[in-house]
Amino acid sequence: MPRIVVANDQSISEAAALLQAGEIVVLPTETVYGLGANALDSDAVSKIFKAKKRPSFNPLIVHVIDKQAASKLVEMDERAQKVADAFWPGPLTLILPRKENSGISDLVTAGLETLAVRVPSHKIMRKVMKEAGVPIAAPSANSSGEPSATTPQHVAQSLGDAAPFILAAGACDVGLESTVLDLSGEVPIILRPGAVTSEDLEPYLGQVEIDMGAHEKPQSEIKSPGQLLKHYAPKIPVRLHAVDVQQDEALLAFGSIKFMGMKAGGHVKDMPDTAFRNLSESGDLNEAAKNLFMMLRDLDKPEHKAIAVMDIPNQGIGVAMNERLQRAAKKYSPKDIK
Ligand code: TXA
Ligand code: MG
């Protein structure tokens, strides 16, 4: 079993030392847990791909302590400076032209001319980064294709012994992965929606495009290789737009359940605790985002036929939640849910 070690001065130093020694370490961030390695060390980075069973064509995000450290790795134009000043540290990843001789392992970029950089705000993550003193490559700490993990226990469930050291700091605040913003071309494009929304970015950048459907395009047009994959999928089917619950389904609710019906009779409020979660009883989108992956994992049990999910308003961070849910549901066609 992996070691789940509560973060304190000693364990933070241990995590930093492991990173310096070329090992992989699970680290808390404000978005989701990350599986970190020294981004300058190809052997260390290769351990990430192996532990996650991640295809080598899918590049990683490099985490750095501040904008200055980022500007050593990538070309930061005026637009990048502006959004970095406004949103770093925080849940925003920038895709920018990479600088030559930055020392970043070629495995991190998967052969692309661009590099993804992010300055996380999580206190523990920042302490580890300061002590380690190297840029940290870190994808979400889950097996490739599964929902991201937002608690140390879910990391352990997903990766098992493949990630032997987990630096634990409770549930992640945001609960969804960072917004990925591509600034390598003329038009700013959101490749993955997150807590930083297009409305948040537009005052700094003018119009921002959102391109979340890139996985349906021909390979040559794909900007973010991660978009190719059917990400975020639980093991059992996910049924969206639920207005009722069918026999043997679990329910992931949002807001009031007053008008939810049960196909088999009875009341949703009497469903067993194991088959029912509410993302936010009060309809708070930030609370719901924080709970999304955690609750999907809670309900992802073989005794359930599917997870029925109520509609979530498509605004603010709701856009990002709906994108994750659509991908989770896409893995299955409606005929799979019998
Ligand atoms: O919140 C987050 O971003 C978390 C925490 C740990 O920081 N990390 C995370 O990493 O979600 P990952 O690897 O699970 O997702 C990174 C996404 C992938 O879809 C990948 O394809 C895309 O970013 N990406 C990375 N480098 C890219 C690049 N150079 N161009 C386009 N997309 C890139
Ligand atoms: Mg991921």
mmCIF file of all heavy atoms in Angstrom, residues 27 29 31-35 52 54 58-61 63 93 95 108-109 112 114-116 118 138-142 148 176-180 182 191-192 223-227 231-232, ligand 1:
data_model
loop_
_atom_site.group_PDB
_atom_site.id
_atom_site.type_symbol
_atom_site.label_atom_id
_atom_site.label_comp_id
_atom_site.label_asym_id
_atom_site.label_seq_id
_atom_site.Cartn_x
_atom_site.Cartn_y
_atom_site.Cartn_z
ATOM 1 N N LEU A 27 1.306 15.101 -4.781
ATOM 2 C CA LEU A 27 1.305 16.397 -4.102
ATOM 3 C C LEU A 27 -0.081 17.037 -4.160
ATOM 4 O O LEU A 27 -0.779 16.929 -5.181
ATOM 5 C CB LEU A 27 2.300 17.330 -4.813
ATOM 6 C CG LEU A 27 3.750 16.838 -4.886
ATOM 7 C CD1 LEU A 27 4.535 17.639 -5.925
ATOM 8 C CD2 LEU A 27 4.402 16.949 -3.511
ATOM 9 N N THR A 29 -2.663 20.057 -4.716
ATOM 10 C CA THR A 29 -2.740 21.405 -5.288
ATOM 11 C C THR A 29 -4.164 21.915 -5.038
ATOM 12 O O THR A 29 -5.021 21.154 -4.577
ATOM 13 C CB THR A 29 -2.425 21.470 -6.804
ATOM 14 O OG1 THR A 29 -3.609 21.229 -7.552
ATOM 15 C CG2 THR A 29 -1.329 20.509 -7.227
ATOM 16 N N THR A 31 -6.348 22.542 -7.174
ATOM 17 C CA THR A 31 -7.315 22.000 -8.143
ATOM 18 C C THR A 31 -7.602 20.532 -7.850
ATOM 19 O O THR A 31 -8.694 20.182 -7.414
ATOM 20 C CB THR A 31 -6.779 22.153 -9.578
ATOM 21 O OG1 THR A 31 -5.492 21.534 -9.669
ATOM 22 C CG2 THR A 31 -6.690 23.619 -9.984
ATOM 23 N N VAL A 32 -6.607 19.681 -8.105
ATOM 24 C CA VAL A 32 -6.707 18.235 -7.843
ATOM 25 C C VAL A 32 -5.313 17.788 -7.377
ATOM 26 O O VAL A 32 -4.347 18.545 -7.491
ATOM 27 C CB VAL A 32 -7.109 17.460 -9.125
ATOM 28 C CG1 VAL A 32 -8.479 17.906 -9.628
ATOM 29 C CG2 VAL A 32 -6.073 17.617 -10.245
ATOM 30 N N TYR A 33 -5.219 16.564 -6.857
ATOM 31 C CA TYR A 33 -3.881 16.049 -6.502
ATOM 32 C C TYR A 33 -3.066 15.816 -7.768
ATOM 33 O O TYR A 33 -3.612 15.440 -8.817
ATOM 34 C CB TYR A 33 -4.002 14.752 -5.689
ATOM 35 C CG TYR A 33 -4.169 15.043 -4.202
ATOM 36 C CD1 TYR A 33 -5.415 15.380 -3.676
ATOM 37 C CD2 TYR A 33 -3.071 15.046 -3.349
ATOM 38 C CE1 TYR A 33 -5.559 15.682 -2.319
ATOM 39 C CE2 TYR A 33 -3.206 15.349 -1.998
ATOM 40 C CZ TYR A 33 -4.455 15.665 -1.493
ATOM 41 O OH TYR A 33 -4.579 15.987 -0.157
ATOM 42 N N GLY A 34 -1.752 16.087 -7.686
ATOM 43 C CA GLY A 34 -0.871 15.900 -8.832
ATOM 44 C C GLY A 34 0.166 14.819 -8.544
ATOM 45 O O GLY A 34 0.533 14.579 -7.394
ATOM 46 N N LEU A 35 0.595 14.147 -9.623
ATOM 47 C CA LEU A 35 1.666 13.150 -9.496
ATOM 48 C C LEU A 35 2.933 13.801 -10.020
ATOM 49 O O LEU A 35 3.127 13.919 -11.230
ATOM 50 C CB LEU A 35 1.299 11.898 -10.299
ATOM 51 C CG LEU A 35 2.317 10.757 -10.286
ATOM 52 C CD1 LEU A 35 2.539 10.221 -8.871
ATOM 53 C CD2 LEU A 35 1.849 9.620 -11.190
ATOM 54 N N LYS A 52 0.840 6.133 -14.284
ATOM 55 C CA LYS A 52 -0.525 6.497 -14.693
ATOM 56 C C LYS A 52 -1.015 5.662 -15.871
ATOM 57 O O LYS A 52 -2.157 5.785 -16.269
ATOM 58 C CB LYS A 52 -0.561 7.965 -15.152
ATOM 59 C CG LYS A 52 -0.603 8.985 -14.054
ATOM 60 C CD LYS A 52 -0.877 10.373 -14.647
ATOM 61 C CE LYS A 52 -2.187 10.480 -15.380
ATOM 62 N NZ LYS A 52 -3.177 11.386 -14.846
ATOM 63 N N ARG A 54 -0.127 6.387 -18.805
ATOM 64 C CA ARG A 54 -0.498 7.501 -19.680
ATOM 65 C C ARG A 54 0.206 7.358 -21.011
ATOM 66 O O ARG A 54 1.415 7.100 -21.049
ATOM 67 C CB ARG A 54 -0.077 8.808 -19.009
ATOM 68 C CG ARG A 54 -0.385 10.076 -19.800
ATOM 69 C CD ARG A 54 -0.168 11.254 -18.891
ATOM 70 N NE ARG A 54 -0.276 12.547 -19.490
ATOM 71 C CZ ARG A 54 -1.115 13.481 -19.046
ATOM 72 N NH1 ARG A 54 -1.941 13.213 -18.055
ATOM 73 N NH2 ARG A 54 -1.125 14.672 -19.574
ATOM 74 N N ASN A 58 0.742 12.323 -24.714
ATOM 75 C CA ASN A 58 -0.023 13.317 -23.949
ATOM 76 C C ASN A 58 0.910 14.098 -23.019
ATOM 77 O O ASN A 58 1.393 13.564 -22.029
ATOM 78 C CB ASN A 58 -1.121 12.599 -23.156
ATOM 79 C CG ASN A 58 -2.160 13.569 -22.612
ATOM 80 O OD1 ASN A 58 -2.083 14.779 -22.871
ATOM 81 N ND2 ASN A 58 -3.117 13.066 -21.865
ATOM 82 N N PRO A 59 1.163 15.385 -23.331
ATOM 83 C CA PRO A 59 2.168 16.145 -22.585
ATOM 84 C C PRO A 59 1.713 16.535 -21.177
ATOM 85 O O PRO A 59 0.530 16.480 -20.861
ATOM 86 C CB PRO A 59 2.353 17.393 -23.452
ATOM 87 C CG PRO A 59 1.060 17.560 -24.177
ATOM 88 C CD PRO A 59 0.526 16.185 -24.392
ATOM 89 N N LEU A 60 2.672 16.943 -20.356
ATOM 90 C CA LEU A 60 2.410 17.259 -18.947
ATOM 91 C C LEU A 60 2.497 18.768 -18.686
ATOM 92 O O LEU A 60 3.135 19.502 -19.443
ATOM 93 C CB LEU A 60 3.448 16.560 -18.058
ATOM 94 C CG LEU A 60 3.634 15.062 -18.253
ATOM 95 C CD1 LEU A 60 4.729 14.553 -17.316
ATOM 96 C CD2 LEU A 60 2.326 14.318 -17.994
ATOM 97 N N ILE A 61 1.888 19.193 -17.587
ATOM 98 C CA ILE A 61 1.990 20.592 -17.149
ATOM 99 C C ILE A 61 3.204 20.713 -16.224
ATOM 100 O O ILE A 61 3.416 19.865 -15.352
ATOM 101 C CB ILE A 61 0.720 21.008 -16.374
ATOM 102 C CG1 ILE A 61 -0.521 20.916 -17.284
ATOM 103 C CG2 ILE A 61 0.872 22.420 -15.809
ATOM 104 C CD1 ILE A 61 -1.842 21.147 -16.551
ATOM 105 N N HIS A 63 4.904 22.825 -13.233
ATOM 106 C CA HIS A 63 4.525 23.727 -12.151
ATOM 107 C C HIS A 63 5.762 24.480 -11.664
ATOM 108 O O HIS A 63 6.795 23.853 -11.384
ATOM 109 C CB HIS A 63 3.916 22.933 -10.998
ATOM 110 C CG HIS A 63 2.673 22.186 -11.381
ATOM 111 N ND1 HIS A 63 2.705 21.121 -12.250
ATOM 112 C CD2 HIS A 63 1.373 22.362 -11.044
ATOM 113 C CE1 HIS A 63 1.450 20.674 -12.433
ATOM 114 N NE2 HIS A 63 0.636 21.403 -11.710
ATOM 115 N N THR A 93 -3.582 27.292 -16.427
ATOM 116 C CA THR A 93 -2.398 26.775 -17.122
ATOM 117 C C THR A 93 -2.277 27.485 -18.456
ATOM 118 O O THR A 93 -3.266 27.639 -19.169
ATOM 119 C CB THR A 93 -2.544 25.251 -17.348
ATOM 120 O OG1 THR A 93 -2.521 24.613 -16.073
ATOM 121 C CG2 THR A 93 -1.413 24.699 -18.210
ATOM 122 N N ILE A 95 -0.483 27.642 -22.239
ATOM 123 C CA ILE A 95 0.281 26.945 -23.273
ATOM 124 C C ILE A 95 1.020 28.015 -24.069
ATOM 125 O O ILE A 95 0.392 28.897 -24.669
ATOM 126 C CB ILE A 95 -0.644 26.171 -24.241
ATOM 127 C CG1 ILE A 95 -1.612 25.248 -23.487
ATOM 128 C CG2 ILE A 95 0.171 25.414 -25.282
ATOM 129 C CD1 ILE A 95 -1.004 24.060 -22.839
ATOM 130 N N VAL A 108 8.207 15.548 -21.307
ATOM 131 C CA VAL A 108 7.166 16.419 -20.745
ATOM 132 C C VAL A 108 6.318 17.012 -21.859
ATOM 133 O O VAL A 108 5.087 17.073 -21.764
ATOM 134 C CB VAL A 108 7.802 17.551 -19.901
ATOM 135 C CG1 VAL A 108 6.765 18.606 -19.525
ATOM 136 C CG2 VAL A 108 8.459 16.984 -18.651
ATOM 137 N N THR A 109 6.967 17.460 -22.937
ATOM 138 C CA THR A 109 6.248 18.156 -24.005
ATOM 139 C C THR A 109 5.766 17.204 -25.099
ATOM 140 O O THR A 109 5.050 17.635 -26.002
ATOM 141 C CB THR A 109 7.149 19.218 -24.654
ATOM 142 O OG1 THR A 109 8.407 18.623 -24.949
ATOM 143 C CG2 THR A 109 7.356 20.393 -23.730
ATOM 144 N N LEU A 112 6.012 18.437 -28.668
ATOM 145 C CA LEU A 112 5.387 19.686 -29.127
ATOM 146 C C LEU A 112 6.366 20.863 -28.984
ATOM 147 O O LEU A 112 7.320 20.805 -28.219
ATOM 148 C CB LEU A 112 4.120 19.988 -28.309
ATOM 149 C CG LEU A 112 2.986 18.966 -28.397
ATOM 150 C CD1 LEU A 112 1.855 19.351 -27.457
ATOM 151 C CD2 LEU A 112 2.473 18.879 -29.833
ATOM 152 N N THR A 114 5.342 23.651 -27.893
ATOM 153 C CA THR A 114 4.799 24.459 -26.796
ATOM 154 C C THR A 114 4.978 23.732 -25.472
ATOM 155 O O THR A 114 5.235 22.529 -25.432
ATOM 156 C CB THR A 114 3.297 24.702 -27.015
ATOM 157 O OG1 THR A 114 2.661 23.428 -27.192
ATOM 158 C CG2 THR A 114 3.045 25.587 -28.232
ATOM 159 N N LEU A 115 4.831 24.502 -24.390
ATOM 160 C CA LEU A 115 4.922 23.910 -23.049
ATOM 161 C C LEU A 115 3.778 24.477 -22.200
ATOM 162 O O LEU A 115 3.461 25.670 -22.291
ATOM 163 C CB LEU A 115 6.272 24.266 -22.420
ATOM 164 C CG LEU A 115 6.513 23.812 -20.975
ATOM 165 C CD1 LEU A 115 6.619 22.287 -20.883
ATOM 166 C CD2 LEU A 115 7.795 24.447 -20.416
ATOM 167 N N ALA A 116 3.186 23.623 -21.398
ATOM 168 C CA ALA A 116 2.128 24.043 -20.469
ATOM 169 C C ALA A 116 2.767 24.418 -19.134
ATOM 170 O O ALA A 116 3.507 23.614 -18.558
ATOM 171 C CB ALA A 116 1.137 22.897 -20.282
ATOM 172 N N ARG A 118 2.167 26.343 -15.141
ATOM 173 C CA ARG A 118 1.174 26.783 -14.154
ATOM 174 C C ARG A 118 1.879 27.113 -12.852
ATOM 175 O O ARG A 118 2.842 26.437 -12.471
ATOM 176 C CB ARG A 118 0.164 25.647 -13.956
ATOM 177 C CG ARG A 118 -0.777 25.800 -12.797
ATOM 178 C CD ARG A 118 -1.952 24.852 -12.958
ATOM 179 N NE ARG A 118 -2.139 23.909 -11.859
ATOM 180 C CZ ARG A 118 -2.635 24.225 -10.663
ATOM 181 N NH1 ARG A 118 -2.980 25.467 -10.395
ATOM 182 N NH2 ARG A 118 -2.776 23.303 -9.726
ATOM 183 N N ALA A 138 3.631 17.643 -13.381
ATOM 184 C CA ALA A 138 2.608 16.929 -12.597
ATOM 185 C C ALA A 138 1.270 16.874 -13.312
ATOM 186 O O ALA A 138 0.582 17.873 -13.423
ATOM 187 C CB ALA A 138 2.427 17.572 -11.220
ATOM 188 N N PRO A 139 0.900 15.695 -13.792
ATOM 189 C CA PRO A 139 -0.481 15.488 -14.236
ATOM 190 C C PRO A 139 -1.345 15.179 -13.024
ATOM 191 O O PRO A 139 -0.822 15.036 -11.912
ATOM 192 C CB PRO A 139 -0.358 14.258 -15.138
ATOM 193 C CG PRO A 139 0.747 13.473 -14.515
ATOM 194 C CD PRO A 139 1.704 14.471 -13.900
ATOM 195 N N SER A 140 -2.637 15.076 -13.232
ATOM 196 C CA SER A 140 -3.524 14.683 -12.147
ATOM 197 C C SER A 140 -3.142 13.276 -11.667
ATOM 198 O O SER A 140 -2.732 12.431 -12.460
ATOM 199 C CB SER A 140 -4.974 14.718 -12.625
ATOM 200 O OG SER A 140 -5.106 14.010 -13.839
ATOM 201 N N ALA A 141 -3.290 13.057 -10.351
ATOM 202 C CA ALA A 141 -2.813 11.807 -9.742
ATOM 203 C C ALA A 141 -3.889 10.729 -9.797
ATOM 204 O O ALA A 141 -4.517 10.385 -8.797
ATOM 205 C CB ALA A 141 -2.376 12.057 -8.297
ATOM 206 N N ASN A 142 -4.124 10.220 -11.008
ATOM 207 C CA ASN A 142 -5.113 9.157 -11.212
ATOM 208 C C ASN A 142 -4.623 8.304 -12.378
ATOM 209 O O ASN A 142 -3.825 8.774 -13.186
ATOM 210 C CB ASN A 142 -6.469 9.770 -11.570
ATOM 211 C CG ASN A 142 -6.366 10.725 -12.752
ATOM 212 O OD1 ASN A 142 -6.023 11.898 -12.579
ATOM 213 N ND2 ASN A 142 -6.617 10.232 -13.941
ATOM 214 N N SER A 148 -10.105 12.607 -12.083
ATOM 215 C CA SER A 148 -9.009 13.092 -11.243
ATOM 216 C C SER A 148 -9.340 12.829 -9.780
ATOM 217 O O SER A 148 -10.501 12.747 -9.400
ATOM 218 C CB SER A 148 -8.819 14.596 -11.454
ATOM 219 O OG SER A 148 -8.379 14.840 -12.759
ATOM 220 N N LEU A 176 -11.685 20.696 -9.532
ATOM 221 C CA LEU A 176 -11.582 20.436 -10.976
ATOM 222 C C LEU A 176 -10.197 20.876 -11.434
ATOM 223 O O LEU A 176 -9.630 21.816 -10.862
ATOM 224 C CB LEU A 176 -12.606 21.262 -11.756
ATOM 225 C CG LEU A 176 -14.077 20.922 -11.635
ATOM 226 C CD1 LEU A 176 -14.880 21.867 -12.523
ATOM 227 C CD2 LEU A 176 -14.323 19.475 -12.032
ATOM 228 N N GLU A 177 -9.702 20.271 -12.515
ATOM 229 C CA GLU A 177 -8.382 20.621 -13.019
ATOM 230 C C GLU A 177 -8.380 22.070 -13.524
ATOM 231 O O GLU A 177 -9.417 22.622 -13.884
ATOM 232 C CB GLU A 177 -7.969 19.700 -14.165
ATOM 233 C CG GLU A 177 -8.067 18.219 -13.864
ATOM 234 C CD GLU A 177 -9.458 17.667 -14.108
ATOM 235 O OE1 GLU A 177 -10.391 18.459 -14.325
ATOM 236 O OE2 GLU A 177 -9.608 16.432 -14.071
ATOM 237 N N SER A 178 -7.153 22.623 -13.610
ATOM 238 C CA SER A 178 -6.993 24.019 -14.027
ATOM 239 C C SER A 178 -7.552 24.273 -15.429
ATOM 240 O O SER A 178 -7.613 23.365 -16.266
ATOM 241 C CB SER A 178 -5.502 24.380 -14.013
ATOM 242 O OG SER A 178 -4.794 23.548 -14.911
ATOM 243 N N THR A 179 -7.921 25.513 -15.668
ATOM 244 C CA THR A 179 -8.261 25.975 -17.014
ATOM 245 C C THR A 179 -6.993 25.909 -17.862
ATOM 246 O O THR A 179 -5.944 26.394 -17.433
ATOM 247 C CB THR A 179 -8.733 27.440 -16.959
ATOM 248 O OG1 THR A 179 -9.829 27.536 -16.054
ATOM 249 C CG2 THR A 179 -9.134 27.953 -18.336
ATOM 250 N N VAL A 180 -7.082 25.296 -19.051
ATOM 251 C CA VAL A 180 -5.921 25.286 -19.958
ATOM 252 C C VAL A 180 -6.172 26.311 -21.064
ATOM 253 O O VAL A 180 -7.119 26.173 -21.846
ATOM 254 C CB VAL A 180 -5.666 23.889 -20.563
ATOM 255 C CG1 VAL A 180 -4.520 23.943 -21.572
ATOM 256 C CG2 VAL A 180 -5.347 22.875 -19.462
ATOM 257 N N ASP A 182 -4.617 28.270 -24.301
ATOM 258 C CA ASP A 182 -3.574 28.231 -25.318
ATOM 259 C C ASP A 182 -3.305 29.644 -25.834
ATOM 260 O O ASP A 182 -4.162 30.244 -26.484
ATOM 261 C CB ASP A 182 -4.035 27.314 -26.462
ATOM 262 C CG ASP A 182 -2.966 27.146 -27.541
ATOM 263 O OD1 ASP A 182 -1.889 27.768 -27.401
ATOM 264 O OD2 ASP A 182 -3.203 26.400 -28.507
ATOM 265 N N LEU A 191 -8.624 25.338 -24.018
ATOM 266 C CA LEU A 191 -8.645 23.931 -24.440
ATOM 267 C C LEU A 191 -9.313 23.053 -23.384
ATOM 268 O O LEU A 191 -9.761 21.952 -23.681
ATOM 269 C CB LEU A 191 -7.224 23.425 -24.680
ATOM 270 C CG LEU A 191 -6.413 24.146 -25.757
ATOM 271 C CD1 LEU A 191 -5.008 23.568 -25.826
ATOM 272 C CD2 LEU A 191 -7.089 24.048 -27.109
ATOM 273 N N ARG A 192 -9.309 23.552 -22.151
ATOM 274 C CA ARG A 192 -9.993 22.819 -21.077
ATOM 275 C C ARG A 192 -10.582 23.856 -20.127
ATOM 276 O O ARG A 192 -9.837 24.617 -19.527
ATOM 277 C CB ARG A 192 -8.998 21.917 -20.327
ATOM 278 C CG ARG A 192 -9.645 21.115 -19.199
ATOM 279 C CD ARG A 192 -8.686 20.135 -18.537
ATOM 280 N NE ARG A 192 -7.688 20.804 -17.715
ATOM 281 C CZ ARG A 192 -6.689 20.176 -17.091
ATOM 282 N NH1 ARG A 192 -6.540 18.882 -17.224
ATOM 283 N NH2 ARG A 192 -5.834 20.868 -16.362
ATOM 284 N N LYS A 223 -5.246 20.372 -30.859
ATOM 285 C CA LYS A 223 -4.303 21.259 -30.181
ATOM 286 C C LYS A 223 -3.772 20.620 -28.902
ATOM 287 O O LYS A 223 -2.631 20.743 -28.557
ATOM 288 C CB LYS A 223 -5.011 22.565 -29.815
ATOM 289 C CG LYS A 223 -5.470 23.352 -31.004
ATOM 290 C CD LYS A 223 -4.600 24.610 -31.150
ATOM 291 C CE LYS A 223 -4.875 25.339 -32.446
ATOM 292 N NZ LYS A 223 -6.301 25.509 -32.696
ATOM 293 N N SER A 224 -4.655 19.979 -28.169
ATOM 294 C CA SER A 224 -4.243 19.416 -26.892
ATOM 295 C C SER A 224 -4.454 17.912 -26.927
ATOM 296 O O SER A 224 -5.576 17.448 -26.974
ATOM 297 C CB SER A 224 -5.076 20.023 -25.773
ATOM 298 O OG SER A 224 -4.660 19.492 -24.553
ATOM 299 N N PRO A 225 -3.375 17.158 -26.943
ATOM 300 C CA PRO A 225 -3.519 15.705 -27.083
ATOM 301 C C PRO A 225 -4.444 15.100 -26.033
ATOM 302 O O PRO A 225 -5.105 14.103 -26.303
ATOM 303 C CB PRO A 225 -2.085 15.198 -26.913
ATOM 304 C CG PRO A 225 -1.229 16.363 -27.298
ATOM 305 C CD PRO A 225 -1.982 17.579 -26.864
ATOM 306 N N GLY A 226 -4.518 15.733 -24.866
ATOM 307 C CA GLY A 226 -5.383 15.204 -23.813
ATOM 308 C C GLY A 226 -6.835 15.182 -24.237
ATOM 309 O O GLY A 226 -7.649 14.406 -23.734
ATOM 310 N N GLN A 227 -7.172 16.051 -25.217
ATOM 311 C CA GLN A 227 -8.558 16.117 -25.661
ATOM 312 C C GLN A 227 -8.963 14.872 -26.435
ATOM 313 O O GLN A 227 -10.132 14.619 -26.652
ATOM 314 C CB GLN A 227 -8.764 17.338 -26.560
ATOM 315 C CG GLN A 227 -8.656 18.646 -25.803
ATOM 316 C CD GLN A 227 -8.763 19.825 -26.743
ATOM 317 O OE1 GLN A 227 -8.195 19.800 -27.823
ATOM 318 N NE2 GLN A 227 -9.480 20.842 -26.343
ATOM 319 N N HIS A 231 -11.711 11.174 -21.136
ATOM 320 C CA HIS A 231 -11.255 11.350 -19.767
ATOM 321 C C HIS A 231 -12.384 11.249 -18.748
ATOM 322 O O HIS A 231 -13.535 11.261 -19.104
ATOM 323 C CB HIS A 231 -10.659 12.745 -19.654
ATOM 324 C CG HIS A 231 -9.179 12.727 -19.670
ATOM 325 N ND1 HIS A 231 -8.459 13.251 -20.687
ATOM 326 C CD2 HIS A 231 -8.290 12.235 -18.795
ATOM 327 C CE1 HIS A 231 -7.186 13.103 -20.436
ATOM 328 N NE2 HIS A 231 -7.049 12.483 -19.302
ATOM 329 N N TYR A 232 -11.979 11.223 -17.530
ATOM 330 C CA TYR A 232 -12.888 11.466 -16.409
ATOM 331 C C TYR A 232 -14.017 10.457 -16.313
ATOM 332 O O TYR A 232 -15.105 10.780 -15.879
ATOM 333 C CB TYR A 232 -13.502 12.881 -16.495
ATOM 334 C CG TYR A 232 -12.526 13.931 -16.904
ATOM 335 C CD1 TYR A 232 -12.641 14.587 -18.110
ATOM 336 C CD2 TYR A 232 -11.458 14.256 -16.068
ATOM 337 C CE1 TYR A 232 -11.722 15.541 -18.491
ATOM 338 C CE2 TYR A 232 -10.541 15.202 -16.446
ATOM 339 C CZ TYR A 232 -10.671 15.845 -17.658
ATOM 340 O OH TYR A 232 -9.772 16.780 -18.033
HETATM 341 O O1 TXA B 1 -5.121 21.387 -12.282
HETATM 342 C C1 TXA B 1 -4.323 20.820 -13.026
HETATM 343 O O2 TXA B 1 -4.024 21.263 -14.124
HETATM 344 C C2 TXA B 1 -3.696 19.502 -12.521
HETATM 345 C C3 TXA B 1 -2.825 19.838 -11.304
HETATM 346 C C4 TXA B 1 -2.073 18.633 -10.791
HETATM 347 O O3 TXA B 1 -1.973 20.892 -11.610
HETATM 348 N N1 TXA B 1 -2.953 18.876 -13.568
HETATM 349 C C5 TXA B 1 -3.555 18.294 -14.634
HETATM 350 O O4 TXA B 1 -2.671 17.724 -15.525
HETATM 351 O O5 TXA B 1 -4.757 18.263 -14.791
HETATM 352 P P1 TXA B 1 -3.113 16.683 -16.652
HETATM 353 O O6 TXA B 1 -1.851 16.171 -17.210
HETATM 354 O O7 TXA B 1 -4.037 15.692 -16.049
HETATM 355 O O8 TXA B 1 -3.836 17.556 -17.715
HETATM 356 C C6 TXA B 1 -3.074 18.452 -18.513
HETATM 357 C C7 TXA B 1 -3.787 18.739 -19.803
HETATM 358 C C8 TXA B 1 -3.865 17.527 -20.704
HETATM 359 O O9 TXA B 1 -5.152 17.509 -21.317
HETATM 360 C C9 TXA B 1 -2.763 17.773 -21.733
HETATM 361 O O10 TXA B 1 -3.046 17.181 -22.973
HETATM 362 C C10 TXA B 1 -2.782 19.288 -21.820
HETATM 363 O O11 TXA B 1 -3.043 19.736 -20.508
HETATM 364 N N2 TXA B 1 -1.468 19.816 -22.261
HETATM 365 C C11 TXA B 1 -0.284 19.701 -21.627
HETATM 366 N N3 TXA B 1 0.705 20.270 -22.367
HETATM 367 C C12 TXA B 1 0.114 20.772 -23.469
HETATM 368 C C13 TXA B 1 0.599 21.454 -24.618
HETATM 369 N N4 TXA B 1 1.875 21.769 -24.776
HETATM 370 N N5 TXA B 1 -0.292 21.818 -25.574
HETATM 371 C C14 TXA B 1 -1.608 21.516 -25.420
HETATM 372 N N6 TXA B 1 -2.117 20.855 -24.361
HETATM 373 C C15 TXA B 1 -1.270 20.477 -23.412
#
